Each structure stands twice: as C-alpha cells, then as structure tokens.
Amino acid sequence: MVSNEALLGIALVELGLVIVPGPNMIYLVSRSIAQGRRAGLISLAGVGIGFLVYLLAASAGLATLFALVPEIYLTLKLAGAAYLLWLAWNALRPGGTSVFATQELAPDRPRKLFGMGLLTCLLNPKIAILYISLLPQFLDPSRGHLGLQSLILGLTQLTVGVVMNAVFVITAGSVAVFLSRRPTWMRIHRYVMGTALAVFAVRLATDRARPLASH
C-alpha cells in the first residue's frame, strides 16, 4: 500500500521538524523543567491528540479545501511564519532565554497540561504545513486508496513525533542542569535555536508551494 521510501521520507521529514525548535518543543521542555517529567508527558499526550486531529482532518479533505481556496492556506502560512519569527525574536533579543533555561512556572493541573499541549499542537504552523502540504507529496495513486495511504503515513509521522518529543521531555531536566552550569553553551544554544526558528519562518513565508488536493 505504501512504499518503504515514502515511510522513510515522511519519518525523516518529521524528525527534521521535531529537531528544529518550535512551539511544541518549547512548551513541553519548559513545562518538564518547571513541573517535572510527569507534567511534560501529560502535556505530550495533548500534543499527540493534536497530531491525530490534523491527521483526521487531512484524511477528511482539509488539503483539498486549501487547494481550492488558496487564500485560506496563505493566511495560515503567513500567520504561522509570524508566530515563528516572534519565537525567534524572544530567543535572540538581548536578555532572551534558551528553551532549556530554568524558569519558575506555576504548577498546572493535569487537565490544563493536556489542554495546553493540545492547543499548542493545533496552533503549531509546522504541523499544519506538514499535513496540508508535505504529506500529499508522498501519496502514490498507483498504490491504492489515497485516504488509507494518508492514514498510514500520518500514523508514521505521529509515532516519530511523539517518541522524539518524549525524549526531549525525559531529558529536559538533565540538559537544563548541564547548560545552566555552562553559560556559554546556554548562549550558543539560544542563538542556534533562534536562528533555526527565523530561518524556518522565512522559508515558510517565501515558499510558493501549494497544497495538493487528494482524492
């Protein structure tokens, strides 16, 4: 149904998106550092459901809607780019902080942790672009039902995304302690993160690719 090349391709794309700092990583890491791994994993459960919501929406024809009404797609893309630029500025501006910087956050209840994880994922422009624009590129009409192919590829992406984010959640505290004892490394990480966010934002805003409709 789905080729090994397509599965590997979507897995590598998701791996690249997860590694580049974004709203999901920033929220999960900051919550894990401030409130512990359990809070981070509860938040991650919300992020996972957010992935699933996008997957089901894509299977229901969201990509087709954006292909037919490109203005909606353009608005989403530019709004996402603006949000990523704002995150980049917060990292690069004088007095900015690294995502792994220890910070005081008021403890949240599990329901709020889950809800914020879900909302952060749903508002994450990288995830929206993945499902709306990139996922259809891996579909092959000659291999059968496109909806089933989309589901399989989406579940592959979801698995990679959740596993990698879980690694960040589990290791966030140790990384934060390591960087807190090495201010230079903390500063380098902040600049790398901010630059990566800015580059992704510019590429997102200037990318002329349009979502493909799947049938």
Side-chain angles (χ1 to χ4, degrees):
M1 177 64 72
V2 178
S3 68
N4 291 332
E5 290 78 8
L7 290 173
L8 179 60
I10 199 67
L12 291 176
V13 167
E14 173 59 15
L15 181 61
L17 289 175
V18 171
I19 291 175
V20 175
N24 286 350
M25 181 201 290
I26 292 172
Y27 176 72
L28 293 172
V29 168
S30 62
R31 185 49 63 182
S32 299
I33 293 174
Q35 200 173 336
R37 293 175 180 173
R38 180 174 178 272
L41 292 174
I42 293 174
S43 301
L44 178 57
V47 170
I49 296 300
F51 284 146
L52 187 59
V53 168
Y54 268 117
L55 173 57
L56 295 178
S59 299
L62 186 61
T64 301
L65 170 63
F66 286 149
L68 295 175
V69 189
E71 292 79 10
I72 299 178
Y73 175 71
L74 179 61
T75 300
L76 172 68
K77 185 172 71 167
L78 293 179
Y83 181 48
L84 290 177
L85 281 175
W86 179 75
L87 293 175
W89 165 247
N90 283 335
L92 294 173
R93 65 180 174 81
T97 59
S98 165
V99 64
F100 287 101
T102 303
Q103 53 184 311
E104 294 294 331
L105 295 176
D108 286 335
R109 295 180 178 276
R111 180 179 298 181
K112 185 175 182 180
L113 291 170
F114 179 88
M116 286 301 298
L118 172 61
L119 183 62
T120 300
C121 184
L122 292 179
L123 295 180
N124 186 349
K126 293 197 299 183
I127 305 304
I129 296 303
L130 172 67
Y131 280 104
I132 295 165
S133 184
L134 295 179
L135 187 63
Q137 311 294 331
F138 294 92
L139 301 179
D140 184 354
S142 67
R143 287 185 169 271
H145 195 278
L146 293 181
L148 185 55
Q149 289 187 53
S150 179
L151 180 63
I152 294 172
L153 290 171
L155 289 175
T156 301
Q157 172 274 326
L158 190 155
T159 300
V160 173
V162 169
V163 169
M164 290 305 301
N165 276 301
V167 171
F168 288 128
V169 166
I170 293 171
T171 61
S174 300
V175 174
V177 170
F178 175 85
L179 292 178
S180 67
R181 296 172 179 172
R182 297 164 176 81
T184 300
W185 284 49
M186 179 78 80
R187 196 158 48 248
I188 291 173
H189 176 267
R190 178 163 61 90
Y191 290 145
V192 170
M193 182 186 73
T195 301
L197 285 168
V199 169
F200 189 85
V202 172
R203 291 185 61 182
L204 179 60
T206 57
D207 183 15
R208 297 187 178 184
R210 301 176 64 176
L212 298 180
S214 57
H215 304 285

